Amino acid sequence: MIIEKINKIILEANKKQKIELGESTFLIEKCKNIKFGDFSSNVALVLAKKNGLKPMDIANKLCECIKSDENFSKVDVANPGFINLWLSNEYKNDIINDILYKKNNFG
């Protein structure tokens, strides 16, 4: 649920930046260390390879689009071009409320 939503937000940002994704796939993963965010993505690395661009340039462009999304409290870029995402407290609360409401039917 969360990863699917992040994927959609990243794809929308990519569409705004008009960078060719094609059939390429990228990862969105839960961070093992919270200092790097709740989730991270390698989308800029994948796009850079496909389009012959610098990963950090793509990551910064995507980051600017994603930052405006209210589901994130913080979005930043780490070398060599990872995008780190911190979920907002409001979004975390929404998820918790959804879990409590749906109970065994959640997920």
Side-chain angles (χ1 to χ4, degrees):
M1 177 180 136
I2 298 169
I3 289 181
E4 289 85 7
K5 185 165 190 146
I6 294 171
N7 186 65
K8 182 179 176 187
I9 292 166
I10 289 173
L11 290 173
E12 287 173 4
N14 185 61
K15 190 175 180 181
K16 287 180 187 175
Q17 292 298 324
K18 299 178 177 141
I19 303 169
E20 179 64 35
L21 180 60
E23 298 298 316
S24 301
T25 57
F26 58 91
L27 298 175
I28 299 167
E29 298 179 314
K30 178 86 177 102
C31 292
K32 292 179 179 128
N33 187 331
I34 195 68
K35 76 177 185 177
F36 298 116
D38 295 306
F39 292 89
S40 68
S41 178
N42 71 339
V43 64
L45 300 167
V46 172
L47 291 172
K49 187 173 184 179
K50 178 165 182 55
N51 292 280
L53 301 170
K54 294 179 182 177
M56 289 297 287
D57 292 344
I58 293 174
N60 282 313
K61 286 180 181 181
L62 294 176
C63 188
E64 286 306 311
C65 291
I66 296 168
K67 280 182 179 179
S68 64
D69 191 285
E70 64 188 17
N71 293 300
F72 304 110
S73 61
K74 181 179 175 183
V75 180
D76 74 11
V77 174
N79 275 318
F82 289 98
I83 298 175
N84 297 325
L85 307 145
W86 285 259
L87 300 178
S88 70
N89 287 336
E90 293 83 10
Y91 185 51
K92 289 177 185 177
N93 287 336
D94 289 346
I95 294 166
I96 291 168
N97 287 331
D98 197 30
I99 292 168
L100 293 173
Y101 178 75
K102 292 181 180 176
K103 298 182 182 177
N104 292 338
N105 295 321
F106 180 79

